[in-house]
Amino acid sequence: MKKLNKISILFFLLLGITFTSCETTDLDLLDDPNQITLDKADLERYMVAIQLDFKDFARLMGSNGSQLVRIDYMFGRTYANNFAPENTNTEWAIAYQGMFSDMKNAEAIATEIEANKHIGVMKIIKAYTLLTLVDFYGDIPLSEATQPAEFPNPQADDDAAVYAAALAMLDEGISFLNQDGLGMDIDFYYNNDFSKWIRFANSVKLNAYTNTRKVDGEAMNKFNAIINSGNYISSTADDLQFRYGTNYLTTPDTRHPAYRADYNVSGAGNYRSNWLMDVMYENDDPRRRYYFYRQHICTPNSTGADGVPCASDQQRLFCSTQARPPHYPSSMVFCSVDGGYWGRDHGNAEGIPPDSFRRTAVGVYPAAGNFDDNRFSTVGLEQGGQGAGIVPIMLASWIDLMRAEMAMANNNSSGANTLMQSAMQKSIAKVQSFGSLDPDADLSMAPSAGDVSAYIAGVGAAFTAASTEGKWNILATQNFIAHYGNGIESYNFYRRTGYPTSLQFNIEQSPGSFVRSFFYPADEANTNSSIQQKPNVQVQVFWDNNPAFPAFPVAN
C-alpha cells in the first residue's frame, strides 16, 4: 500500500468552547503541517487528526452515496465513468494512510500509558470505517494492512470476514471505554461522554445487522437485543455529528465545504438534485426551507413560486428548451422544478451556464447557509449560519428508520409506520432547530407545529392505505429525505430493497449498470500487486443479496 507523508494537525485552540455533539463549535483551530512523532505527548495530536479524518471520510463517502440515489445531483451520464477508480483515491487514503496508520501508532502510545478511553474511541471509529469500506468496495485489506515492512502489498480480506472483525472491534471498543482512563484533551463529537460513544458503537451494530438481514438468519435477533437494551442512539441529544466553524479570513477555512462552495462572491457553485427538491416541494415537506435556499423566484419552463409561468431560458437552463427524454414518463420531473427550485437532473453532464446567481443553493441544514423565507436574494459571503454546519454521521432518526425497515421485513407494517413517523418527527425537529443559525431569517415562514403534525399524519395515512410495494416506496422516500447530508445508509438501503421505484431516471437512456460496489481506487489497484481491479461495478458485496434489484434497470 502506498505510503504518504502524514500531515498532522497541532492542538486546537479551545477559546473557551465546549465540543459536544449538539453545540456550535468554532473550528478555527488548525495550525501548520508538522510530522507526527512517536512520543507520549503526541497521543492527543493523533486523536485530533483521527477525528478530523473521520468526519472527512464520512462526508465524502456520504456524498458518493447521495449522488447515486438522487439525494444529491450526480454529474456525468455513465456510472462507470462517474465513479471511476481514480475518483475515490482520497477516501481510501484518508482511511488507510490517515486514520488506520495514525491509529496504529496512537494505540501503541495509549497502551503504554493505559489511555483506555482513547483506545476505545479509536476502535469504534475504525470499526465504522471498515464497515463502510466493505459496504462500498466489498473485499478490503485488514489483516495485512498498515504493516508495510512485512506486507508491502496487503491482500484484501473477504468482506464478510471484515464485517465480523469490525463487529468484534466494536465490542472491544466498548470494553475499553468501560475501563478506567483519562479522557481525551479534545473530543469533537461527545466531549468525553463515553456513555454516548458506547451508544454510537451499538448503533453502528444496528446498522450492520440491518445490512446483513438477508444473509444472516440471526441478524434480526441481534438487532432486537440491542433495541431491547435501550443502549443506542434513540435521542437527538446523542446524535453523532461533527460541527464546523465560521473562519475563512485566515487559513484554514473551517466552514462546511458545501457552504464554501455556494456562499461566495461568484454565486452558488453546486447544483441540487431535481428529484429530491421536486419530491419535497410537491409534498410540502417541512424540511425543504431548511435544506434548500432559492435565489430566484422562477425556474425556466416551470411555474414560479408566485404561481406565474416561467419562460424558457436557453442560455441559463438549456434543457428548458429541449424535449423530454423519450425514456422519461410524463409524471417524472424533468429539467425544471416548480416553485423556483433550480437544480439539475440525475446524470446531466452539460457545461456551466451563467446561472450561479439563479440556481438553488444549500440551505441552513446541514451546511449553515440561509433559511429560505421567500427572500429570493442572491447568495454571498457571511450569509446565514456562516458555514457552522454539521456532518451528520449517526442520528436518532436514522435508527428509527432502520427499525421501521426491520419491522417491514418482519411483516409488521403497523410497527413500521409508527417508527417511520417517529423518525420523521425527530428529523424535522432537528432540522428546524437550525433555523436560528440564520440571524436574518424570517422564521414566521417556518412550518408551524400544526403543519408538521399534519404532514407526518398524512404520510402515515398514505402508508396505511398503500400496498406492500407502496409502503416500501414511502419508507424509502422518507429514508432518503432524512439522510440529506450523508447518503451512506440510503445507498445501502437502495441496494438492500430496490426502493423507491420512483427515483428519477438517469438523463442518459443507457447509463450502464448501477454501482453495486465501487472500483478499487486507482492509487491502490495500480500500486498494490495483491489487489486485482474489479471487471465492472456490478460486483456485489456479500450482504447485497437482492434478486429483485434488477427489476428496476431503467432507474439506474
Side-chain angles (χ1 to χ4, degrees):
M1 188 173 297
K2 285 182 67 176
K3 294 186 67 177
L4 300 177
N5 290 330
K6 176 62 192 173
I7 297 200
S8 70
I9 300 160
L10 296 180
F11 283 146
F12 280 69
L13 306 175
L14 291 178
L15 300 177
I17 297 165
T18 300
F19 296 97
T20 72
S21 62
C22 297
E23 296 175 356
T24 300
T25 62
D26 278 335
L27 186 59
D28 305 338
L29 307 166
L30 298 179
D31 208 338
D32 296 329
N34 199 0
Q35 184 68 30
I36 288 181
T37 57
L38 284 173
D39 60 62
K40 294 179 182 178
D42 283 325
L43 176 58
E44 299 300 338
R45 294 172 65 196
Y46 275 120
M47 295 306 297
V48 167
I50 289 164
Q51 291 179 77
L52 293 179
D53 278 347
F54 181 44
K55 57 89 176 169
D56 285 337
F57 176 82
R59 178 180 61 82
L60 291 171
M61 297 301 277
S63 176
N64 292 332
S66 292
Q67 291 176 54
L68 282 165
V69 297
R70 288 69 161 173
I71 294 173
D72 286 338
Y73 157 67
M74 184 188 79
F75 174 87
R77 289 175 174 260
T78 62
Y79 289 104
N81 288 338
N82 294 348
F83 298 95
E86 61 271 19
N87 289 353
T88 59
N89 283 333
T90 298
E91 293 89 322
W92 189 272
I94 288 172
Y96 281 98
Q97 294 149 357
M99 284 187 285
F100 295 171
S101 177
D102 282 351
M103 287 173 180
K104 180 183 178 182
N105 295 330
E107 188 168 349
I109 301 171
T111 299
E112 183 178 350
I113 64 175
E114 297 184 348
N116 295 317
K117 308 297 188 184
H118 297 64
I119 296 173
V121 168
M122 284 189 284
K123 286 185 176 292
I124 291 168
I125 290 176
K126 185 172 184 177
Y128 173 97
T129 304
L130 287 168
L131 291 166
T132 303
L133 287 168
V134 168
D135 292 342
F136 280 69
Y137 296 103
D139 298 345
I140 59 168
L142 174 59
S143 60
E144 297 181 357
T146 64
Q147 303 173 70
E150 187 174 359
F151 301 108
N153 296 293
Q155 302 228 13
D157 294 287
D158 175 73
D159 51 359
V162 176
Y163 239 61
L167 285 166
M169 198 177 292
L170 289 168
D171 288 332
E172 293 170 7
I174 291 171
S175 177
F176 274 102
L177 292 181
N178 282 324
Q179 297 176 37
D180 292 336
L182 296 174
M184 297 182 288
D185 281 2
I186 296 175
D187 179 352
F188 291 109
Y189 299 94
Y190 285 138
N191 195 32
N192 285 327
D193 187 336
F194 297 107
S195 65
K196 291 186 176 183
W197 276 107
I198 291 173
R199 286 195 278 278
F200 170 61
N202 284 326
S203 300
V204 176
K205 291 185 192 179
L206 291 174
N207 201 0
Y209 297 144
T210 304
N211 279 339
T212 57
R213 65 178 175 83
K214 291 189 174 183
V215 296
D216 179 2
E218 289 300 310
M220 186 78 72
N221 291 333
K222 297 172 187 174
F223 185 98
N224 289 334
I226 294 175
I227 295 301
N228 292 336
S229 76
N231 198 14
Y232 61 93
I233 296 174
S234 59
S235 166
T236 54
D238 296 338
D239 286 350
L240 187 86
Q241 61 192 34
F242 181 88
R243 177 78 70 172
Y244 286 93
T246 61
N247 177 69
Y248 72 97
L249 295 175
T250 59
T251 302
D253 189 330
T254 62
R255 301 169 300 169
H256 193 293
Y259 181 92
R260 288 182 234 165
D262 277 2
Y263 290 81
N264 55 68
V265 295
S266 57
N270 290 329
Y271 288 101
R272 313 263 70 83
S273 163
N274 272 350
W275 176 80
L276 185 63
M277 290 193 295
D278 182 65
V279 166
M280 296 183 73
Y281 177 69
E282 291 299 325
N283 294 285
D284 199 17
D285 190 295
R287 291 161 285 195
R288 65 182 174 89
R289 291 184 179 273
Y290 302 83
Y291 283 12
F292 311 116
Y293 174 73
R294 295 167 294 174
Q295 298 189 83
H296 194 61
I297 198 169
C298 222
T299 305
N301 199 28
S302 72
T303 300
D306 55 1
V308 176
C310 310
S312 299
D313 187 336
Q314 184 173 16
Q315 181 186 25
R316 293 190 179 91
L317 191 62
F318 179 72
C319 61
S320 68
T321 65
Q322 303 301 298
R324 174 179 293 270
H327 62 293
Y328 267 44
S330 60
S331 60
M332 182 169 290
V333 62
F334 165 65
C335 186
S336 306
V337 180
D338 289 339
Y341 291 93
W342 188 314
R344 274 197 170 179
D345 296 325
H346 186 66
N348 185 315
E350 294 175 1
I352 306 300
D355 66 348
S356 61
F357 290 106
R358 298 292 184 96
R359 69 179 75 159
T360 297
V362 69
V364 72
Y365 180 90
N370 288 330
F371 171 76
D372 189 336
D373 51 11
N374 288 1
R375 72 186 81 167
F376 299 112
S377 60
T378 57
V379 295
L381 291 169
E382 300 184 359
Q383 290 184 5
Q386 300 186 53
I390 65 167
V391 174
I393 300 175
M394 187 67 73
L395 306 184
S397 59
W398 300 355
I399 301 298
D400 282 349
L401 288 165
M402 294 178 208
R403 295 180 65 191
E405 178 184 346
M406 293 298 252
M408 278 294 292
N410 202 34
N411 297 316
N412 180 8
S413 63
S414 176
N417 195 352
T418 299
L419 289 162
M420 179 187 68
Q421 292 187 57
S422 174
M424 294 165 65
Q425 186 69 57
K426 291 174 183 177
S427 172
I428 294 169
K430 181 182 184 71
V431 168
Q432 288 194 301
S433 72
F434 277 63
S436 61
L437 294 180
D438 180 357
D440 298 318
D442 177 4
L443 294 179
S444 69
M445 298 295 297
S448 67
D451 294 332
V452 172
S453 295
Y455 173 76
I456 294 173
V459 174
F463 187 94
T464 298
S467 64
T468 298
E469 180 175 351
K471 287 176 168 61
W472 276 111
N473 272 316
I474 292 170
L475 176 60
T477 300
Q478 289 303 320
N479 179 300
F480 287 20
I481 293 172
H483 281 82
Y484 186 66
N486 185 338
I488 292 173
E489 172 52 19
S490 294
Y491 173 50
N492 292 344
F493 182 99
Y494 189 55
R495 287 179 292 165
R496 287 194 304 266
T497 68
Y499 293 101
T501 58
S502 58
L503 286 182
Q504 184 187 37
F505 296 166
N506 195 310
I507 201 73
E508 171 61 49
Q509 191 164 3
S510 300
S513 297
F514 184 80
V515 181
R516 300 299 283 267
S517 73
F518 281 55
F519 287 118
Y520 288 115
D523 284 351
E524 185 70 16
N526 295 342
T527 61
N528 183 348
S529 59
S530 297
I531 295 287
Q532 183 176 358
Q533 186 58 273
K534 298 175 185 178
N536 51 53
V537 294
Q538 295 173 264
V539 180
Q540 296 171 224
V541 300
F542 80 100
W543 55 255
D544 181 2
N545 183 29
N546 180 15
F549 189 88
F552 313 112
V554 76
N556 283 348

